[in-house]
Amino acid sequence: MGVGGSERVRVRVVGGWSRSSPRPWGSSGAPWLYLAPALVVLGGLLVYPIYQLGLISFFQYTQAQVSGGEPTAFRGFANYAELLGDSQFWQVLLATVVFAGACVVSTLGVGCALAVLLTRVRAVPRLVLMLAALGAWATPAVTGSTVWLFLFDPDFGPVNRILGLGDYSWTYGRFSAFFLVLLEVVWCSFPFVMVTVYAGIRSVPGEVLEAAALDGASQWRIWRSVLAPMLRPILTVVTIQSVIWDFKIFTQIYVMTNGGGIAQQNLVLNVYAYQQAFASSQYSLGSAIGVVMLLILLAVTLVYLRLLRRQGEEL
């Protein structure tokens, strides 16, 4: 190769990609062409409904407007002002945050404990536990809620008989009803945490755990000082996803408390929005509640993405 050829090679290596050289895959538009069908479907299923939700929240839209008896009137932020000025909304929001937090902590605790247990048992018990957990995860929310209502039924449920509680009604009191729903939510949610954390534990080198055990560390100390820091990205994912799922719970509360409990004592935001929109025909107010929930969950999602980005940079 002559001097001129060497110079051309050097120019392409040092100066970057020339016009005659093939462009890298990431700089072309081909990936967007592959993603286009999915983006179109997601746009139709997500973007347009969200747009309609936000649009209705700025109008006076009740049964009168739906039936055509009255014209639709633009209200601006009046629906949001009415919502934020309602003391019941703040009570429901507080109950939703506390209930979702309790569900997330309980789900993570049960899921992580069973994930560690899976690493300690033999193959057959591990398979049985995995199948049972996946069966609970695959059970529809309506079916699971109905089964749990039967288990805790004051007349025919086996739980009251085993505990000797007689005809005690779990859905009568506010806290007992929330506790019953929490049990069902944890039952159908912990398998995701268990399987995900178990997969993360299996990826940890065995030498690290053996070294910690030889140093005299207890199982709790191994989890807190060794496993938890190494599984931080996985724990972040399951925590944020559990927050999103538990914050927007609807089916379990609606089915197990018969639409929000006695005197609406077990309302959460999703059920509250449903009642305002369909029971009271205040569709614009229900849409405003939906937008507020969307903004809260969007904030949680942004925190989730920020944490993942930071952890990706550290890795």
Side-chain angles (χ1 to χ4, degrees):
M1 181 182 294
V3 177
S6 301
E7 290 296 329
R8 285 195 297 271
V9 171
R10 180 186 300 179
V11 168
R12 190 168 70 174
V13 172
V14 177
W17 292 90
S18 64
R19 294 182 179 180
S20 59
S21 61
R23 300 180 64 187
W25 174 257
S27 62
S28 65
W32 292 105
L33 293 178
Y34 293 133
L35 292 175
L39 293 177
V40 171
V41 173
L42 290 177
L45 295 178
L46 296 178
V47 177
Y48 182 73
I50 292 175
Y51 163 75
Q52 287 292 334
L53 182 72
L55 184 64
I56 294 175
S57 67
F58 289 106
F59 285 86
Q60 178 68 30
Y61 199 71
T62 63
Q63 187 61 39
Q65 283 76 29
V66 174
S67 61
E70 296 181 8
T72 303
F74 180 75
R75 299 192 65 193
F77 290 95
N79 290 320
Y80 293 95
E82 179 181 352
L83 180 65
L84 298 179
D86 185 6
S87 60
Q88 186 182 14
F89 167 74
W90 293 105
Q91 295 174 3
V92 174
L93 177 60
L94 177 61
T96 304
V97 172
V98 174
F99 177 71
C103 289
V104 171
V105 173
S106 302
T107 302
L108 291 177
V110 173
C112 292
L114 291 178
V116 175
L117 178 63
L118 287 177
T119 63
R120 302 296 178 185
V121 298
R122 296 182 179 274
V124 175
R126 184 188 308 125
L127 178 61
V128 172
L129 180 56
M130 291 282 285
L131 292 177
L134 293 178
W137 193 16
T139 302
V142 175
T143 304
S145 301
T146 305
V147 170
W148 276 82
L149 277 179
F150 170 75
L151 293 176
F152 288 83
D153 186 84
D155 298 321
F156 307 102
V159 175
N160 281 10
R161 296 181 181 179
I162 295 175
L163 299 179
L165 297 178
D167 58 351
Y168 176 76
S169 177
W170 290 82
T171 59
Y172 183 79
R174 183 187 186 191
F175 296 104
S176 61
F178 269 129
F179 178 71
L180 180 59
V181 178
L182 182 144
L183 292 178
E184 199 280 335
V185 171
V186 173
W187 175 76
C188 67
S189 301
F190 84 86
F192 170 74
V193 178
M194 183 191 72
V195 173
T196 306
V197 175
Y198 172 72
I201 294 176
R202 299 298 296 178
S203 65
V204 175
E207 296 80 3
V208 176
L209 301 179
E210 292 178 2
L214 291 176
D215 289 338
S218 62
Q219 293 299 322
W220 167 247
R221 186 62 183 273
I222 292 176
W223 167 261
R224 187 184 64 179
S225 302
V226 179
L227 287 177
M230 298 184 70
L231 298 177
R232 187 173 301 167
I234 294 177
L235 294 176
T236 301
V237 171
V238 297
T239 300
I240 299 301
Q241 289 186 345
S242 297
V243 169
I244 295 175
W245 290 342
D246 295 340
F247 190 82
K248 59 185 184 66
I249 280 178
F250 173 82
T251 305
Q252 290 89 340
I253 289 287
Y254 193 83
V255 173
M256 300 182 71
T257 64
N258 195 21
I262 300 174
Q264 310 301 310
Q265 62 182 0
N266 296 112
L267 283 179
V268 292
L269 278 180
N270 244 348
V271 180
Y272 183 57
Y274 176 84
Q275 289 188 351
Q276 292 294 327
F278 298 100
S280 302
S281 298
Q282 296 288 336
Y283 302 107
S284 54
L285 193 59
S287 299
I289 300 174
V291 172
V292 171
M293 289 186 59
L294 176 64
L295 294 177
I296 295 175
L297 292 178
L298 181 61
V300 174
T301 304
L302 292 178
V303 172
Y304 159 63
L305 294 177
R306 184 179 180 87
L307 290 174
L308 285 186
R309 183 179 179 182
R310 285 183 178 180
Q311 292 166 356
E313 292 175 351
E314 291 175 359
L315 294 176

